[in-house]
Amino acid sequence: MGIDPIRYKPWSGERTRTRDRVFIIAETFFRQKLKSKWVLVFLILGSILVFVFPVISNAMMPHETLDAGTMTLQMSSVLFFMFTLLLAALICSDSIAEDLRSNSFVLYFSRAIKAESYLAGKMGGTILTLSLFCFIPPVLMAIVLMGTQSGSSYGASLGVLGRTIIASIVATLFFIPFSVLISSLTTRKSYAAVGTFMALFILTIISAIFTESDPNWRLINPGNVLAIFYDWLYGFGIPGNINIVLFSVMFTGFTLLPLNILYLRIRMKAVGR
């Protein structure tokens, strides 16, 4: 009996486009996070404590327009910062760590997918999830306060609404590069979550200790960097005792620097280093 050689036929189907693969990665991650009870608990609890009560109290108080000061205080609140930090650490903890643990990271790059697409998909999923707390509630708060204002000057209110949209986008994106970077350094999502939270929380303690000697030490605290950004965005300016150049450096250091390091790490892992 002769041996029948295996013959392979070329696949004639249509390959998925890169953007479709990115969308699938992001959507899968987003759906997984919505099934996590801890993510849901913090999303619901945080939304109630941070937004529901302020919305009710501010809506019931007489106000002629949507006030920039009200939204600045809301976005700069310590409670909003803490819940954002907790959620970012929790949501991003297994974004890459789980792929490294289960070796599914190798499967991603066995397909025709680049590091950019993989990273875009993972970060897209984290952004979608975190926006449920950092983007939607603040924008809804601004819209509700506009709808309950007694004055007819909606032009100024629309300006504040636009700034709130920008502030909410920044709030959503700010912690994600660092949090995902920490996730890429370990195979244990618990280590990634604790490491992210503790690293950023320790910076707030260091900032509090040294601020007395130099106000620029406030910039070590990511919460203060965001608060100063919100003040500037809403038209209140940057405090005179804060170095603008140093503020720009720290803002970049918390966002673009981790993103670039993360991208280089993913590229190295993709080629097996």
Side-chain angles (χ1 to χ4, degrees):
M1 182 177 179
I3 299 176
D4 187 19
I6 299 175
R7 294 181 176 88
Y8 293 97
K9 296 181 179 180
W11 183 58
S12 59
E14 183 181 354
R15 294 182 179 273
T16 57
R17 292 171 296 183
T18 300
R19 66 180 183 183
D20 294 331
R21 298 172 193 172
V22 172
F23 177 77
I24 291 171
I25 295 172
E27 182 186 27
T28 301
F29 186 87
F30 179 66
R31 290 181 181 274
Q32 288 175 346
K33 286 303 170 182
L34 291 185
K35 295 178 182 178
S36 170
K37 64 178 181 180
W38 286 112
V39 171
L40 291 176
V41 165
F42 279 107
L43 282 174
I44 296 171
L45 183 63
S47 297
I48 293 173
L49 294 178
V50 179
F51 293 103
V52 172
F53 295 126
V55 167
I56 294 174
S57 61
N58 282 286
M60 294 179 65
M61 293 176 60
H63 58 284
E64 292 188 359
T65 61
L66 173 60
D67 183 51
T70 300
M71 295 310 303
T72 304
L73 289 174
Q74 181 64 30
M75 299 299 294
S76 302
S77 70
V78 175
L79 200 57
F80 180 54
F81 166 74
M82 291 303 298
F83 268 100
T84 301
L85 179 55
L86 282 168
L87 279 167
L90 186 61
I91 292 169
C92 299
S93 61
D94 61 347
S95 56
I96 296 179
E98 181 61 23
D99 290 343
L100 295 175
R101 186 197 65 79
S102 63
N103 290 325
S104 58
F105 188 89
V106 178
L107 296 177
Y108 279 107
F109 291 95
S110 64
R111 302 288 299 272
I113 186 172
K114 296 182 179 180
E116 296 90 335
S117 301
Y118 172 82
L119 191 57
K122 287 295 183 176
M123 296 194 69
T126 62
I127 290 169
L128 285 173
T129 311
L130 194 56
S131 68
L132 297 177
F133 177 74
C134 292
F135 181 81
I136 295 177
V139 174
L140 286 178
M141 177 178 178
I143 292 174
V144 169
L145 295 184
M146 278 185 62
T148 56
Q149 71 179 43
S150 58
S152 58
S153 177
Y154 286 96
S157 296
L158 285 172
V160 177
L161 174 61
R163 292 185 178 93
T164 301
I165 292 174
I166 296 173
S168 301
I169 292 173
V170 172
T172 304
L173 299 178
F174 191 81
F175 292 111
I176 288 179
F178 181 82
S179 302
V180 177
L181 173 61
I182 297 298
S183 178
S184 72
L185 299 177
T186 178
T187 58
R188 298 285 296 274
K189 64 179 182 179
S190 57
Y191 293 170
V194 174
T196 299
F197 180 81
M198 291 305 300
L200 295 175
F201 186 71
I202 288 173
L203 290 178
T204 67
I205 297 175
I206 296 174
S207 172
I209 294 174
F210 292 101
T211 297
E212 292 291 334
S213 59
D214 186 349
N216 285 301
W217 277 98
R218 292 176 56 194
L219 300 176
I220 297 295
N221 182 344
N224 288 337
V225 173
L226 280 171
I228 293 172
F229 172 79
Y230 297 142
D231 284 343
W232 170 80
L233 180 64
Y234 283 104
F236 298 102
I238 295 176
N241 56 1
I242 295 297
N243 187 303
I244 298 177
V245 175
L246 186 58
F247 165 75
S248 302
V249 169
M250 293 305 299
F251 191 94
T252 303
F254 281 119
T255 52
L256 296 182
L257 180 60
L259 183 61
N260 280 278
I261 296 174
L262 174 62
Y263 171 69
L264 292 175
R265 176 159 176 77
I266 295 301
R267 287 198 62 179
M268 291 177 65
K269 294 295 292 184
V271 296
R273 294 182 181 178

